[in-house]
Structure formats: structure tokens, C-alpha cells
Amino acid sequence: MYASNDIPFLDLVTPHVELEEELTAVFRRALFTAGFVGGPMVEEFEQAFAAFCDTSHSVAVNSGTDALRFAIMACGIESGDVVLTVPNTFIATTEAISQAGAVPEFIDIDENTYNMSVERLQEFLEQGCTRNTSGRLVSKRHQRPVTAIVPVHLYGQMADMDSILRLANQYGLTVIEDACQAHGAEYFSGKLNRWMKAGTMGQAAAFSFYPGKNLGACGEGGAVTTNDAAVAAKIRMIREHGQAKKYYHDMEGYNGRLDSVQCGLLQVKLGHLAQWNARRRDRAAEYDRLLAGNEAITCPYEPSWSRAVYHLYVVRSADRDGLAKHLKAAGIGTGIHYPVPLHLQKAYKGMNYRETDFPVATRLAGEILSLPMFPQLSSEQQTRVTDGILGFVQDVLISQ
Ligand SMILES: *Cc1c(COP(=O)(O)O)cnc(C)c1O
């Protein structure tokens, strides 16, 4: 635990204390019915989560990583296909791609939104690919067909989906959203002339219920959303040993189910998610206001077409490590999401990328700092965070 006047990066205890009665009732229901796997609590939550996301289906699975892996498999991405994503994400994104049998390839990000750059994507499709003898789009790097894009809605802000979908349609690619950080985020589609929720625009989307996410289980969890009944049915099969009905297996699948208890707990929390997200947006606006006009700190950029849900509130500073150290000394918790872009991770040495390959993502990794962000963050706590930041900036300016 943190000292009482310290400001944690994340407070997971308070919401559980606030919801103690409702959450313990879920445990009792599970204990007294011995309904631990499958059953009404899973179905009720799946329906509620699909309704929250404005999709016709949601399938609960055991993690966000498996949600993405199963979605990729169910959308017909074949073994050895190249799937495009960004280098500045949690490794689960590329693990899911690889473990579905596909090959991840990176596209650099936009300087302002930190999500996939549409310019870089277009450049890749035009210059990083060729057509093989049967006319298929093939990655020059891998000499394999490019069949899908996995945009990541990083920090709770959706990628520019209209533009990504336009290119995907033009090149015949499937789009699967990594919405693991973006429950409830919205995007104004100029094409459809309305606000669209994360998880509704791709063929399918993956959500994570890891405890620290905007909607977090009391353990591991995830879900796939889709408007495609066939994709939903396929994922149900994949998560349950490939069975079409009990002990009749159409294929080999996985044990990928989400526990009934977790679904029950998530159902309770889901009732509060819209309000929690609204609080996060308020807190973000307050950070923006308190840090405004400060040259040394770059606040998050929210385009007019975006309503982000601020899973993380990430600032940029040329002396990020100095700033983090200064805040730590003041009892303020921070995080870095993520310190090493995926193309420079040891795990991906074999991909033979160079540091200069994705300059925006690489530069960003050295400058980003995630500030305390959770719905229960008080304005007093927040002022202490920004006072700490402004104090550091002053000290640095004076010492120069
Ligand atoms: C959390 C996260 C995942 C993985 O989710 P798990 O539930 O931890 O497996 C995947 N992608 C992104 C962007 C995430 O933040």
C-alpha cells in the first residue's frame, strides 16, 4: 500500500469498497448455485456488454489477448498471413497475431494521436507491398499476403477508423480492432454521419478486463464484440474446445472461457462504466486546463472526431525520466506505456527492424509519462500532480 498522502498511479481499491455489497452478492450467487463455468451470469453479461458497445454480439473469453487471438482466427486470417499493427502497443497485440498463426508487421504512428498513421499505412500499402502472380497484395518484407489490419485504440482513444477502413476496403483487408484500452470510446464517422463506439467498426474487436482497464474484472478476462453472427459463433466454438455441441467437436479449440463469477462481477461494474468514463473525461479536461500554456509538457491531443475514455492520461516531456523521478519523490505514482517499442524488443530481434524504422513511435517511447488517472481521482490530488509537474519544469528552466 501507499502512504496515505501519496497519490497512486491507479486506485483499484476504492471502487471495490464502494461496490462491496453488490460484488459479494455475486460470489454468494455463484457459491450457492455452484455455477462457475458458463450459465446465466455469462449470458447476462455478454448481452449487457454487447448493448453497452452497440454491437449485436459479445463473447466473453479469458483475456484480452485471447479475445484478439480468437477474433483473428474467426475472421479467416490464415496461417502465414501478414497482419499490420503499430509498434507502440502492449506485446499482447502482436502475441495474439503470432499465436493465431499470422505474422505481425508494423506501421508507424501519428505524431499527435499516437495511433496508427493513415499516411504511413497508405505509404506501406503503395510502396511496402507488391502484387504476386495471382494478384494478391504481398508484403515485400515477408513475401507473404497482407490480409488484415489491427488498429490499437491506444490510451482509450480510437484510431482514425474511417480512413483505415477506406484503405482496408480499397486493398481488400479485414480490420480487427484492439479495443483493450477503449471500452466506451467513440469516434465520429463522417462517412456514416454519426458517433460510433469502439468495437463496432471492425469485423470484430477485442476488449480486455484486466483489473486496471476501464472495465476490470477481479482477475483476468476479455471479450470479443462483433456484428457478424458467424464470427460470434466461431469464437464461441474456439473458446470451448471447438465444440458445436457438448462432446461434438468440429475442430480443435481452446479452453478460453471466462468464469461465471468474473462475468457477474463485470456485470455489476458495467452499470457504473459510463459514469466512470465521464469522470475520466472530466479529470482529463482538468489536467489539460492545469497544464495549459506550458511549453515543456505536451498534453494528449483529442481530435474533434474523438471522444476518448482516457484509460491513460499521457503527457510528453523532453526530460521524462527526470520528471518521473521528481514526481516519485513527491509521492506521486506514474507509469510508462510503453518504454520500448515492439520492433526494438528482444523478443522481436529476429524481425531485423532498425531503430530508425519507426521514428515517431521510437521518439515517443523516450518522452511519454502516464499520470495518475482513475475515476475517483480527487481535484485536490490532481492539483498536487500538476503542481509537482510545474515545479519540476520551473526548476529545470531556472537551472538552465
Ligand atoms: C491489456 C491489453 C491487451 C491484453 O489484454 P489482457 O487481458 O491483459 O490479455 C491487449 N492489447 C492492449 C492494447 C492492451 O492494453
Side-chain angles (χ1 to χ4, degrees):
M1 283 308 282
Y2 39 89
S4 61
N5 62 340
D6 283 358
I7 301 171
F9 171 63
L10 182 61
D11 174 8
L12 289 178
V13 176
T14 304
H16 292 126
V17 172
E18 287 171 3
L19 300 174
E20 181 184 349
E21 283 310 314
E22 287 172 84
L23 295 174
T24 48
V26 171
F27 282 109
R28 271 185 230 112
R29 180 178 171 191
L31 286 177
F32 298 151
T33 59
F36 299 118
V37 178
M41 289 210 277
V42 177
E43 282 152 32
E44 285 163 23
F45 172 67
E46 287 182 336
Q47 279 166 22
F49 191 65
F52 176 87
C53 294
D54 289 339
T55 57
S56 40
H57 309 275
S58 114
V59 184
V61 297
N62 59 4
S63 70
T65 310
D66 270 0
L68 189 55
R69 177 165 63 128
F70 296 166
I72 292 167
M73 294 169 74
C75 287
I77 310 308
E78 290 183 7
S79 178
D81 285 3
V82 171
V83 175
L84 308 175
T85 192
V86 289
N88 64 329
T89 177
F90 183 50
I91 194 170
T93 310
T94 44
E95 283 174 336
I97 294 169
S98 302
Q99 289 163 10
V103 181
E105 183 157 3
F106 298 117
I107 305 293
D108 207 358
I109 54 167
D110 178 82
E111 179 77 43
N112 298 308
T113 63
Y114 314 150
N115 281 328
M116 184 178 283
S117 160
V118 174
E119 288 73 30
R120 294 292 86 77
L121 175 62
Q122 180 160 1
E123 192 177 84
F124 171 83
L125 294 169
E126 287 170 0
Q127 294 163 30
C129 297
T130 51
R131 295 278 174 185
N132 68 8
T133 45
S134 41
R136 294 193 75 181
L137 187 74
V138 168
S139 151
K140 286 182 183 169
R141 167 177 284 271
H142 294 290
Q143 294 298 315
R144 301 287 317 169
V146 180
T147 58
I149 308 172
V150 175
V152 179
H153 303 323
L154 199 71
Y155 307 152
Q157 172 153 276
M158 284 179 71
D160 182 1
M161 290 300 287
D162 272 359
S163 306
I164 290 170
L165 287 167
R166 177 177 47 79
L167 287 169
N169 286 338
Q170 189 183 331
Y171 286 87
L173 308 176
T174 301
V175 175
I176 299 158
E177 301 165 67
D178 182 338
C180 284
Q181 301 188 0
H183 323 64
E186 289 177 287
Y187 172 88
F188 188 81
S189 167
K191 185 160 180 251
L192 302 169
N193 195 31
R194 61 188 174 94
W195 287 92
M196 301 290 289
K197 284 252 180 89
T200 61
M201 297 187 77
Q203 180 80 8
F207 289 86
S208 166
F209 305 128
Y210 187 75
K213 301 290 162 88
N214 287 30
L215 179 62
C218 300
E220 305 278 352
V224 181
T225 58
T226 180
N227 287 316
D228 185 327
V231 168
K234 187 86 188 274
I235 291 167
R236 287 183 195 287
M237 196 180 270
I238 293 171
R239 79 167 170 188
E240 188 128 22
H241 301 292
Q243 61 185 22
K245 62 178 185 178
K246 202 167 175 79
Y247 303 135
Y248 289 79
H249 306 272
D250 289 3
M251 58 184 281
E252 273 192 357
Y254 297 86
N255 180 345
R257 296 169 299 237
L258 183 56
D259 292 345
S260 316
V261 172
Q262 295 300 346
C263 288
L265 299 168
L266 286 163
Q267 173 95 335
V268 169
K269 292 186 173 189
L270 183 61
H272 301 266
L273 183 57
Q275 184 207 332
W276 286 339
N277 280 345
R279 282 282 298 175
R280 285 175 183 269
R281 285 184 59 74
D282 284 351
R283 295 298 103 204
E286 183 70 356
Y287 269 138
D288 289 347
R289 193 180 68 76
L290 293 166
L291 294 169
N294 188 327
E295 300 273 296
I297 302 290
T298 307
C299 292
Y301 171 67
E302 196 179 298
S304 59
W305 44 256
S306 168
R307 281 190 204 134
V309 290
Y310 293 93
H311 170 57
L312 297 167
Y313 185 91
V314 177
V315 297
R316 282 173 83 165
S317 159
D319 185 9
R320 184 269 313 280
D321 294 336
L323 177 59
K325 215 173 133 201
H326 177 86
L327 292 175
K328 189 174 180 207
I332 296 164
T334 59
I336 300 173
H337 303 89
Y338 299 90
V340 181
L342 293 182
H343 68 290
L344 302 179
Q345 293 282 357
K346 195 168 157 193
Y348 293 134
K349 248 174 87 179
M351 287 183 178
N352 295 317
Y353 280 114
R354 290 162 306 174
E355 182 155 338
T356 49
D357 280 337
F358 307 103
V360 182
T362 302
R363 180 153 27 86
L364 201 71
E367 297 181 354
I368 45 177
L369 189 67
S370 308
L371 303 183
M373 172 51 84
F374 44 91
Q376 295 77 15
L377 186 69
S378 72
S379 48
E380 187 267 323
Q381 286 177 314
Q382 219 178 352
T383 313
R384 277 183 48 208
V385 175
T386 53
D387 283 351
I389 294 171
L390 298 176
F392 174 77
V393 171
Q394 289 290 325
D395 288 352
V396 171
L397 287 179
I398 290 163
S399 69
Q400 273 170 359

